[in-house]
mmCIF file of all heavy atoms in Angstrom:
data_model
loop_
_atom_site.group_PDB
_atom_site.id
_atom_site.type_symbol
_atom_site.label_atom_id
_atom_site.label_comp_id
_atom_site.label_asym_id
_atom_site.label_seq_id
_atom_site.Cartn_x
_atom_site.Cartn_y
_atom_site.Cartn_z
ATOM 1 N N ALA A 1 -57.142 26.952 93.339
ATOM 2 C CA ALA A 1 -55.880 27.146 94.055
ATOM 3 C C ALA A 1 -55.810 26.164 95.215
ATOM 4 O O ALA A 1 -56.401 26.401 96.271
ATOM 5 C CB ALA A 1 -55.765 28.584 94.564
ATOM 6 N N PRO A 2 -55.139 25.026 95.046
ATOM 7 C CA PRO A 2 -55.036 24.033 96.124
ATOM 8 C C PRO A 2 -54.422 24.629 97.392
ATOM 9 O O PRO A 2 -53.495 25.440 97.329
ATOM 10 C CB PRO A 2 -54.122 22.958 95.524
ATOM 11 C CG PRO A 2 -54.288 23.110 94.047
ATOM 12 C CD PRO A 2 -54.471 24.581 93.812
ATOM 13 N N VAL A 3 -54.968 24.214 98.527
ATOM 14 C CA VAL A 3 -54.508 24.698 99.830
ATOM 15 C C VAL A 3 -53.914 23.528 100.605
ATOM 16 O O VAL A 3 -54.583 22.522 100.832
ATOM 17 C CB VAL A 3 -55.673 25.323 100.631
ATOM 18 C CG1 VAL A 3 -55.196 25.751 102.020
ATOM 19 C CG2 VAL A 3 -56.270 26.502 99.870
ATOM 20 N N SER A 4 -52.669 23.664 101.024
ATOM 21 C CA SER A 4 -51.995 22.600 101.768
ATOM 22 C C SER A 4 -52.689 22.366 103.103
ATOM 23 O O SER A 4 -52.998 23.325 103.819
ATOM 24 C CB SER A 4 -50.533 22.971 102.003
ATOM 25 O OG SER A 4 -49.865 21.937 102.703
ATOM 26 N N PRO A 5 -52.976 21.119 103.471
ATOM 27 C CA PRO A 5 -53.673 20.826 104.732
ATOM 28 C C PRO A 5 -52.897 21.323 105.953
ATOM 29 O O PRO A 5 -51.661 21.238 105.991
ATOM 30 C CB PRO A 5 -53.762 19.291 104.742
ATOM 31 C CG PRO A 5 -53.633 18.894 103.314
ATOM 32 C CD PRO A 5 -52.711 19.884 102.704
ATOM 33 N N GLU A 6 -53.626 21.835 106.933
ATOM 34 C CA GLU A 6 -52.992 22.275 108.163
ATOM 35 C C GLU A 6 -52.449 21.089 108.951
ATOM 36 O O GLU A 6 -51.388 21.173 109.579
ATOM 37 C CB GLU A 6 -53.997 23.056 109.021
ATOM 38 C CG GLU A 6 -54.430 24.386 108.423
ATOM 39 C CD GLU A 6 -55.381 25.135 109.331
ATOM 40 O OE1 GLU A 6 -55.647 24.643 110.457
ATOM 41 O OE2 GLU A 6 -55.865 26.203 108.924
ATOM 42 N N LYS A 7 -53.188 19.975 108.916
ATOM 43 C CA LYS A 7 -52.776 18.791 109.666
ATOM 44 C C LYS A 7 -52.131 17.798 108.708
ATOM 45 O O LYS A 7 -52.779 17.278 107.803
ATOM 46 C CB LYS A 7 -53.983 18.170 110.365
ATOM 47 C CG LYS A 7 -54.600 19.087 111.408
ATOM 48 C CD LYS A 7 -55.777 18.434 112.130
ATOM 49 C CE LYS A 7 -56.360 19.367 113.186
ATOM 50 N NZ LYS A 7 -57.519 18.756 113.889
ATOM 51 N N LYS A 8 -50.859 17.558 108.906
ATOM 52 C CA LYS A 8 -50.115 16.646 108.048
ATOM 53 C C LYS A 8 -50.300 15.205 108.531
ATOM 54 O O LYS A 8 -50.402 14.937 109.721
ATOM 55 C CB LYS A 8 -48.631 17.003 108.048
ATOM 56 C CG LYS A 8 -48.340 18.462 107.699
ATOM 57 C CD LYS A 8 -48.901 18.837 106.330
ATOM 58 C CE LYS A 8 -48.592 20.292 105.992
ATOM 59 N NZ LYS A 8 -49.170 20.706 104.698
ATOM 60 N N ALA A 9 -50.330 14.300 107.574
ATOM 61 C CA ALA A 9 -50.472 12.881 107.882
ATOM 62 C C ALA A 9 -49.105 12.201 107.819
ATOM 63 O O ALA A 9 -48.226 12.616 107.060
ATOM 64 C CB ALA A 9 -51.426 12.219 106.897
ATOM 65 N N ASP A 10 -48.946 11.146 108.610
ATOM 66 C CA ASP A 10 -47.704 10.396 108.524
ATOM 67 C C ASP A 10 -47.679 9.625 107.205
ATOM 68 O O ASP A 10 -48.712 9.308 106.630
ATOM 69 C CB ASP A 10 -47.574 9.428 109.709
ATOM 70 C CG ASP A 10 -48.645 8.349 109.701
ATOM 71 O OD1 ASP A 10 -49.751 8.595 110.243
ATOM 72 O OD2 ASP A 10 -48.399 7.268 109.135
ATOM 73 N N GLY A 11 -46.481 9.331 106.750
ATOM 74 C CA GLY A 11 -46.346 8.636 105.482
ATOM 75 C C GLY A 11 -46.279 9.599 104.315
ATOM 76 O O GLY A 11 -45.987 10.783 104.481
ATOM 77 N N ALA A 12 -46.572 9.087 103.113
ATOM 78 C CA ALA A 12 -46.443 9.906 101.913
ATOM 79 C C ALA A 12 -47.254 9.308 100.765
ATOM 80 O O ALA A 12 -47.583 8.121 100.775
ATOM 81 C CB ALA A 12 -44.971 9.998 101.509
ATOM 82 N N PRO A 13 -47.579 10.128 99.757
ATOM 83 C CA PRO A 13 -48.304 9.618 98.579
ATOM 84 C C PRO A 13 -47.334 8.952 97.614
ATOM 85 O O PRO A 13 -46.139 9.259 97.582
ATOM 86 C CB PRO A 13 -48.884 10.886 97.969
ATOM 87 C CG PRO A 13 -47.871 11.946 98.303
ATOM 88 C CD PRO A 13 -47.351 11.585 99.674
ATOM 89 N N ARG A 14 -47.858 8.046 96.820
ATOM 90 C CA ARG A 14 -47.063 7.464 95.745
ATOM 91 C C ARG A 14 -47.989 7.058 94.604
ATOM 92 O O ARG A 14 -49.138 6.686 94.820
ATOM 93 C CB ARG A 14 -46.239 6.275 96.221
ATOM 94 C CG ARG A 14 -47.024 5.092 96.746
ATOM 95 C CD ARG A 14 -46.070 3.966 97.145
ATOM 96 N NE ARG A 14 -46.759 2.817 97.699
ATOM 97 C CZ ARG A 14 -47.345 1.870 96.972
ATOM 98 N NH1 ARG A 14 -47.332 1.966 95.648
ATOM 99 N NH2 ARG A 14 -47.948 0.856 97.544
ATOM 100 N N ARG A 15 -47.470 7.124 93.422
ATOM 101 C CA ARG A 15 -48.242 6.766 92.232
ATOM 102 C C ARG A 15 -48.370 5.249 92.143
ATOM 103 O O ARG A 15 -47.420 4.512 92.431
ATOM 104 C CB ARG A 15 -47.566 7.305 90.985
ATOM 105 C CG ARG A 15 -48.349 7.085 89.707
ATOM 106 C CD ARG A 15 -47.691 7.763 88.528
ATOM 107 N NE ARG A 15 -47.600 9.209 88.736
ATOM 108 C CZ ARG A 15 -47.166 10.048 87.810
ATOM 109 N NH1 ARG A 15 -46.810 9.600 86.621
ATOM 110 N NH2 ARG A 15 -47.086 11.332 88.072
ATOM 111 N N CYS A 16 -49.544 4.777 91.734
ATOM 112 C CA CYS A 16 -49.767 3.337 91.592
ATOM 113 C C CYS A 16 -48.956 2.780 90.432
ATOM 114 O O CYS A 16 -48.852 3.394 89.370
ATOM 115 C CB CYS A 16 -51.244 3.048 91.331
ATOM 116 S SG CYS A 16 -52.311 3.258 92.746
ATOM 117 N N THR A 17 -48.418 1.597 90.646
ATOM 118 C CA THR A 17 -47.729 0.864 89.593
ATOM 119 C C THR A 17 -48.419 -0.485 89.443
ATOM 120 O O THR A 17 -49.324 -0.838 90.213
ATOM 121 C CB THR A 17 -46.247 0.657 89.933
ATOM 122 O OG1 THR A 17 -46.144 -0.272 91.028
ATOM 123 C CG2 THR A 17 -45.585 1.970 90.318
ATOM 124 N N ILE A 18 -47.950 -1.268 88.490
ATOM 125 C CA ILE A 18 -48.560 -2.572 88.266
ATOM 126 C C ILE A 18 -48.420 -3.472 89.486
ATOM 127 O O ILE A 18 -49.227 -4.382 89.688
ATOM 128 C CB ILE A 18 -47.944 -3.245 87.011
ATOM 129 C CG1 ILE A 18 -48.794 -4.429 86.564
ATOM 130 C CG2 ILE A 18 -46.505 -3.616 87.269
ATOM 131 C CD1 ILE A 18 -50.195 -4.075 86.159
ATOM 132 N N ASP A 19 -47.415 -3.216 90.319
ATOM 133 C CA ASP A 19 -47.261 -4.000 91.547
ATOM 134 C C ASP A 19 -48.399 -3.745 92.533
ATOM 135 O O ASP A 19 -48.599 -4.525 93.462
ATOM 136 C CB ASP A 19 -45.923 -3.680 92.227
ATOM 137 C CG ASP A 19 -44.726 -4.148 91.412
ATOM 138 O OD1 ASP A 19 -44.893 -5.095 90.615
ATOM 139 O OD2 ASP A 19 -43.633 -3.562 91.562
ATOM 140 N N ASP A 20 -49.136 -2.651 92.321
ATOM 141 C CA ASP A 20 -50.249 -2.291 93.206
ATOM 142 C C ASP A 20 -51.592 -2.772 92.674
ATOM 143 O O ASP A 20 -52.640 -2.383 93.194
ATOM 144 C CB ASP A 20 -50.314 -0.765 93.389
ATOM 145 C CG ASP A 20 -49.059 -0.194 94.015
ATOM 146 O OD1 ASP A 20 -48.685 -0.672 95.089
ATOM 147 O OD2 ASP A 20 -48.477 0.733 93.413
ATOM 148 N N LEU A 21 -51.578 -3.612 91.645
ATOM 149 C CA LEU A 21 -52.831 -3.980 90.979
ATOM 150 C C LEU A 21 -53.878 -4.503 91.945
ATOM 151 O O LEU A 21 -54.998 -3.976 92.006
ATOM 152 C CB LEU A 21 -52.573 -5.016 89.882
ATOM 153 C CG LEU A 21 -53.824 -5.542 89.169
ATOM 154 C CD1 LEU A 21 -54.587 -4.410 88.502
ATOM 155 C CD2 LEU A 21 -53.450 -6.618 88.149
ATOM 156 N N GLU A 22 -53.582 -5.519 92.700
ATOM 157 C CA GLU A 22 -54.583 -6.105 93.600
ATOM 158 C C GLU A 22 -54.972 -5.149 94.709
ATOM 159 O O GLU A 22 -56.129 -5.121 95.143
ATOM 160 C CB GLU A 22 -54.081 -7.428 94.163
ATOM 161 C CG GLU A 22 -53.948 -8.533 93.129
ATOM 162 C CD GLU A 22 -55.244 -8.752 92.348
ATOM 163 O OE1 GLU A 22 -56.330 -8.767 92.956
ATOM 164 O OE2 GLU A 22 -55.158 -8.913 91.105
ATOM 165 N N THR A 23 -54.014 -4.348 95.162
ATOM 166 C CA THR A 23 -54.333 -3.342 96.183
ATOM 167 C C THR A 23 -55.321 -2.324 95.638
ATOM 168 O O THR A 23 -56.303 -1.959 96.299
ATOM 169 C CB THR A 23 -53.053 -2.615 96.643
ATOM 170 O OG1 THR A 23 -52.163 -3.558 97.231
ATOM 171 C CG2 THR A 23 -53.378 -1.531 97.665
ATOM 172 N N LEU A 24 -55.094 -1.869 94.404
ATOM 173 C CA LEU A 24 -56.004 -0.895 93.797
ATOM 174 C C LEU A 24 -57.371 -1.518 93.545
ATOM 175 O O LEU A 24 -58.404 -0.852 93.747
ATOM 176 C CB LEU A 24 -55.413 -0.358 92.493
ATOM 177 C CG LEU A 24 -56.217 0.744 91.801
ATOM 178 C CD1 LEU A 24 -56.393 1.945 92.727
ATOM 179 C CD2 LEU A 24 -55.535 1.168 90.500
ATOM 180 N N VAL A 25 -57.412 -2.772 93.112
ATOM 181 C CA VAL A 25 -58.689 -3.464 92.925
ATOM 182 C C VAL A 25 -59.462 -3.484 94.240
ATOM 183 O O VAL A 25 -60.677 -3.254 94.270
ATOM 184 C CB VAL A 25 -58.479 -4.895 92.399
ATOM 185 C CG1 VAL A 25 -59.803 -5.668 92.389
ATOM 186 C CG2 VAL A 25 -57.893 -4.875 90.998
ATOM 187 N N ASP A 26 -58.768 -3.751 95.343
ATOM 188 C CA ASP A 26 -59.420 -3.750 96.653
ATOM 189 C C ASP A 26 -60.013 -2.383 96.976
ATOM 190 O O ASP A 26 -61.145 -2.288 97.466
ATOM 191 C CB ASP A 26 -58.421 -4.140 97.752
ATOM 192 C CG ASP A 26 -58.101 -5.621 97.751
ATOM 193 O OD1 ASP A 26 -58.914 -6.405 97.223
ATOM 194 O OD2 ASP A 26 -57.036 -6.000 98.281
#
């Protein structure tokens, strides 16, 4: 049962796309 973090981070998640290739390699 995932528990939402008490402390929220700025920004947001996003799924990797092919445009993120070199970033993901890093």
Side-chain angles (χ1 to χ4, degrees):
V3 177
S4 181
E6 293 182 4
K7 296 182 179 179
K8 307 302 180 182
D10 65 273
R14 62 178 178 82
R15 185 174 300 186
C16 287
T17 69
I18 194 62
D19 293 335
D20 299 306
L21 176 60
E22 293 306 317
T23 298
L24 184 59
V25 172
D26 285 338

